[in-house]
Amino acid sequence: MEGDLTASDAVWSERDTSPGAIEAALRELLRAQHAENASFVPARVLNLVVVVDAQWSGEIANRLAKVGRFHPSRTIVCAVEPGRTTLDAVASLTGDIEAGEIPKPGDVALIRELVVVRCGERHLAHLDTVVDPLVVTDLVTVLWAPHGHREAVDSLLHLAQVVLVDSVDEPDVKEALGRARELSDEAYVVDLAWLRSTPWRERIAATFDPTRLRPDLQTISRIGIRHHPDSEAAALLLVGWMAARLDWQPSRLVPRNGTMVGQAHARRQDVALSLEPAPELSTRGLASVEFETAGGRWFKLDRGPGGLKAHYRHTRGTEREWTVLGASRGEAGILGEGIRQALLRDPTYKPALEKALTLTR
Amino acid sequence: MDNPLTEGLERLPVHPTTLTIFGGTGDLAKRKLLPALYNLAHEGALPERFNLVGASRSDLPDEEYRALAADAIREFSRREPDEDVLTALLERVRYVSGTFDDASVFERLGTVLDEFDAEAGQPLNRAFYLSTAPEFFPIIVEQLGQAGLNCHVAASEVRCIIEKPFGTTLEEAQDLNQRVLAVFEESQVFRIDHYLGKETVQNMMAFRFANGLFEPVWNRNYIDHVQITAAEDIGIGSRAGYYDNAGALRDLVQNHMLQLLCHVAMEPPVDFSADQVRDEKVKVLHAIRVPEPDEIDRMAVRAQYAAGTSGGEDASGYLEEEGVPEDSNTETYAALRLEVQNWRWAGVPFYLRTGKRLARKVTEIAVTLKPVPHLAFKQEGSVGVKPNQLILTLQPNEGVSLSLGAKIPGTRMSIRPVNMEFLYGTAFLSQSPEAYERLIMDAMRGDATLFTRNDEVEAQWRICDPIVQKWEATPGPLPQYAAGTEGPSPAEELTLGADQWRAI
């Protein structure tokens, strides 16, 4: 994985090494870099600890390389190789300047640190003892294990304040949401599936924000969501969010002709729910969301070029369409947003997750 | 009822809005406003329904104005435009041409605004952005009033955003306020000081009021003096037409630098609502003693840059710049010593200086603490124990630095100053949005916290006006300083006692 992130300026490596030696090497790399040019200063935003299968580490490196300015300041990658008994490590520093450029006096060039530790399965139960000396104390530590590695995650949880998950990665949506729920008891969970629904949540909130339309929130009678076939979790979280915010009591969804259907009990009436896969959608996330109210109003948001296409039909039958401007963030953007969100707190995710779980029980 | 769906959202909904930019083909629109609108659109931050109207003298069809806007966005946006978003934004753009004293322009504008409302099936909020030459501000406002565009139906808001400069004298500012407030309520008016939209200026409030460390020493008992510097290493470039009429005092001191002073000196507001924050700033401005004519020479210095060397290159003097009259008495450097006469600050000098073609570009606030009352050790071999200095740098490297005395390693108790530094860029992932992005959104949202209120702008002018009058009445030539230097030597005489200007 080393060398994949960006061209590296200062590198140290050692076979059969120890966490103490890695930490000492990092300190020395930073000292030497600063002595060479005082314009280089280490970024101090957050630690990102990534546990990956060594054979797929290149893919994860590619994803991290695309997060741009949302790059963590210190990334510690634990690449798990079956059968390995010793630790090998590579530590490198990367400056945020163009290759070959030297910062001028008075300029500031940020240094980011990457440590790749190759470890074996035997290390996973106590991976915290490897990682603990390597994280920058007092910075937020974010844990991300895109390939599972439950044992490692359980070992590292006490070091992390934030766990990054992507509920759409798991083949079983119920299990994915359950795991997120379990983790959220131990740390703040940033779920990329939840972040995929952010623009939709913002637009739904905006739709009902005019004072004259707010009463309609109490009369919603149907929600229909179409989603990427892999993104049922994102759709469930969106419904869960509506249910949590509007105090609905949802019941379990059941499959009907390829669509998950069910209902939620609201104060005034029941809300019909349907979650339908949209095989034509090439990117993960949601394809459309539509609402109907008991009074006959209909709203729909469709993913489209340049933003979401909004459709509205009044009770009198008049229809309107417009584009809600906004660029797609893409998958790299979602991961970057996940890292950024590690420094914020969204109090609405956990209640939404609870309601989403109810829909799967 | 409240909207329960907004909780936890980073971007709160903004009521659907049509924004009209007067001066829509001008430099500010092209360099700042249109790119800011594009970036807001890209991030999904604009209101759910958003329309833009450009209004200017040039006779252009809608299509040509859209092409002009697209070119400006491509050239000046802080990010590469996404063509789909750009296209979708431009579809919502219309243009109205004509001179601003022509009532028919405002009739046609009203028709376009009504058409947008009809298309949306609801009355949209209306925001008018006055980005023209300042002499048109009262004309546009009065025309808006006469055309009935200063108010709309009950469910929607009308807002008027006014660029700087807000008057060039106290009298002009008062007159403009009077004319604006004859048409709009104060709550509808948003006077731009784009410094207030800068993330680092807002951070000053977080720095002061979110940390228990500094506030106990933030007063006359511990602080010796405060220096606020806004130095530029460049000359006036192609802005001779504007700059020679304005000068350094009007361009930066009267607005931006006094705002920075307010942020340093204000009391903690009860909350961060617009009026609470502005009330506290106005109190500071009222506490600054207005200089008497006969003391201005002792508390204010002006100068012009002369030919010199800047960045290793020959740099011409102000009077040789293209478009500057050879007998111009416009100052390119201004330095003031002000006193904030209240219990917190009495006796603490506030030094302000700004200039073009100085040694380097820096905007900073330096707070110098009083020296320790007694040193228990001799200073043999010391570089010197200096009073602690807290430096808040706004640009180029936004951050906070605290100078401390530390022991030089060795057998002797020798001291030298060291810096404890914090750089914003090292601690946050996000890129600061452009000031105009923040300010446009706040104005459309109706949040006036980062805008200057009528009494605030007049209080700023009350301080600067006597200096402006005195300088305009005093014939030149002005003292000169060589380009690329620290500024004129008479500025040294402003400092009291052992105070010294920090090196730029």
Side-chain angles (χ1 to χ4, degrees), chain A residues 119-292:
Chain A
C119 58
E121 287 142 332
R122 64 177 282 266
H123 296 108
L124 297 184
H126 299 288
L127 199 58
D128 56 335
T129 60
V130 175
V131 170
D132 196 356
L134 303 181
V135 296
V136 182
T137 312
D138 294 334
L139 291 189
V140 169
T141 297
V142 182
L143 174 59
W144 183 36
H147 303 142
H149 296 292
R150 251 178 203 242
E151 195 180 13
V153 171
D154 290 341
S155 153
L156 291 168
L157 258 180
H158 72 98
L159 294 179
Q161 292 76 46
V162 180
V163 182
L164 195 64
V165 299
D166 191 348
S167 294
V168 306
D169 273 346
E170 298 285 335
D172 183 331
V173 69
K174 185 177 174 184
E175 202 173 302
L177 296 177
R179 178 63 172 158
R181 171 71 187 80
E182 198 181 307
L183 290 169
S184 69
D185 285 338
E186 306 291 326
Y188 178 68
V189 171
V190 174
D191 189 342
L192 301 187
W194 172 249
L195 300 184
R196 286 188 189 89
S197 74
T198 303
W200 301 82
R201 285 183 280 117
E202 286 175 349
R203 292 314 170 185
I204 294 165
T207 298
F208 292 98
D209 199 56
T211 316
R212 68 190 166 85
L213 290 180
R214 284 185 203 172
D216 283 1
L217 283 170
Q218 308 300 328
T219 67
I220 292 172
S221 56
R222 186 174 79 82
I223 299 181
I225 299 178
R226 299 188 73 242
H227 57 85
H228 184 278
D230 290 346
S231 297
E232 189 182 345
L236 284 166
L237 285 167
L238 184 70
V239 177
W241 170 72
M242 293 290 291
R245 303 311 314 147
L246 298 172
D247 202 17
W248 297 343
Q249 306 308 320
S251 50
R252 186 168 169 267
L253 300 178
V254 293
R256 186 184 299 159
N257 302 328
T259 300
M260 299 300 288
V261 297
Q263 60 182 31
H265 182 64
R267 247 175 248 164
R268 294 192 192 167
Q269 73 284 310
D270 284 348
V271 183
L273 308 172
S274 71
L275 275 58
E276 184 187 348
E280 77 281 4
L281 190 61
S282 56
T283 50
R284 284 171 159 188
L286 307 180
S288 72
V289 177
E290 78 185 290
F291 295 89
E292 256 178 56

Side-chain angles (χ1 to χ4, degrees), chain A residues 26-109:
Chain A
L26 262 178
R27 258 188 292 122
E28 177 53 25
L29 284 174
L30 283 167
R31 192 204 59 75
Q33 192 77 65
H34 189 72
E36 193 179 304
N37 188 329
S39 293
F40 282 110
V41 288
R44 287 291 173 256
V45 186
L46 54 79
N47 303 296
L48 176 65
V49 180
V50 190
V51 184
V52 292
D53 289 338
Q55 65 186 114
W56 301 113
S57 64
E59 181 211 331
I60 298 302
N62 285 337
R63 287 183 68 184
L64 279 171
K66 289 176 187 159
V67 301
R69 66 177 187 272
F70 298 125
H71 211 288
S73 41
R74 181 174 285 187
T75 306
I76 300 155
V77 178
C78 302
V80 185
E81 281 179 26
R84 171 178 277 278
T85 56
T86 58
L87 300 177
D88 291 354
V90 179
S92 55
L93 308 183
T94 307
D96 68 345
I97 54 170
E98 296 293 321
E101 215 179 276
I102 297 170
K104 294 190 287 274
D107 285 355
V108 173

Side-chain angles (χ1 to χ4, degrees), chain B residues 309-315:
Chain B
T309 307
S310 180
E313 301 288 335
D314 290 342

Side-chain angles (χ1 to χ4, degrees), chain B residues 91-346:
Chain B
E91 280 171 8
R92 311 306 310 154
V93 174
R94 300 274 301 270
Y95 183 74
V96 175
S97 67
T99 55
F100 300 130
D101 55 358
D102 178 356
S104 72
V105 171
F106 294 82
E107 275 172 39
R108 279 184 279 129
L109 174 61
T111 306
V112 171
L113 297 177
D114 289 342
E115 283 169 8
F116 278 133
D117 283 5
E119 188 190 341
Q122 59 173 308
L124 306 178
N125 280 2
R126 293 172 178 183
F128 300 108
Y129 197 122
L130 278 52
S131 146
T132 61
E135 59 265 32
F136 295 116
F137 295 166
I139 297 168
I140 294 168
V141 166
E142 283 163 4
Q143 290 282 5
L144 286 169
Q146 280 163 24
L149 295 173
N150 55 331
C151 53
H152 197 21
V153 296
S156 72
E157 304 282 348
V158 178
R159 298 183 175 116
C160 182
I161 305 156
I162 304 178
E163 257 300 329
K164 77 161 200 173
F166 199 87
T168 61
T169 61
L170 173 61
E171 195 182 346
E172 272 187 35
Q174 286 170 328
D175 179 62
L176 183 54
N177 263 336
Q178 211 169 17
R179 293 170 76 175
V180 169
L181 296 176
V183 175
F184 291 102
E185 302 286 329
E186 175 60 31
S187 61
Q188 294 178 282
V189 182
F190 296 76
R191 296 171 193 80
I192 290 261
D193 183 334
H194 72 268
Y195 251 51
L196 297 180
K198 286 182 185 285
E199 206 61 29
T200 39
V201 176
Q202 295 162 51
N203 259 324
M204 281 178 58
M205 288 207 268
F207 174 80
R208 280 195 59 201
F209 303 131
N211 296 291
L213 182 62
F214 304 106
E215 206 52 25
V217 299
W218 211 256
N219 57 57
R220 65 188 305 275
N221 297 326
Y222 296 93
I223 290 179
D224 186 78
H225 67 275
V226 177
Q227 289 183 23
I228 303 177
T229 301
E232 289 190 70
D233 55 356
I234 55 170
I236 56 160
S238 58
R239 296 172 69 220
Y242 160 75
Y243 197 87
D244 198 60
N245 285 317
L249 191 75
R250 286 189 178 108
D251 189 41
L252 274 167
V253 178
Q254 178 272 333
N255 36 54
H256 307 325
M257 297 188 76
L258 283 179
Q259 284 291 337
L260 295 183
L261 187 155
C262 287
H263 279 78
V264 174
M266 69 194 271
E267 295 298 318
V270 173
D271 58 46
F272 279 89
S273 61
D275 277 333
Q276 294 288 356
V277 171
R278 296 190 296 182
D279 283 349
E280 295 305 334
K281 288 196 290 172
V282 169
K283 282 186 205 165
V284 173
L285 293 166
H286 284 313
I288 297 174
R289 198 166 64 77
V290 176
E292 297 294 335
D294 62 349
E295 64 181 347
I296 286 171
D297 288 344
R298 294 194 300 278
M299 53 74 67
V301 166
R302 61 175 171 161
Q304 269 176 353
Y305 61 84
T309 307
S310 180
E313 301 288 335
D314 290 342
S316 46
Y318 179 67
L319 297 178
E320 290 97 55
E321 298 276 19
E322 199 181 327
V324 174
E326 58 186 27
D327 59 347
S328 170
N329 276 340
T330 300
E331 78 284 358
T332 63
Y333 178 98
L336 309 183
R337 185 185 64 241
L338 299 174
E339 295 166 34
V340 181
Q341 295 183 322
N342 59 22
W343 273 49
R344 190 190 277 263
W345 295 112

Side-chain angles (χ1 to χ4, degrees), chain A residues 44 106 203 245 322 327 340, chain B residues 7 10 42 44 49 397 426:
Chain A
R44 287 291 173 256
R203 292 314 170 185
R245 303 311 314 147
W322 65 96
R340 190 181 77 86
Chain B
E7 190 178 336
E10 266 192 89
H42 186 102
R49 287 184 149 213
N397 295 322
T426 64

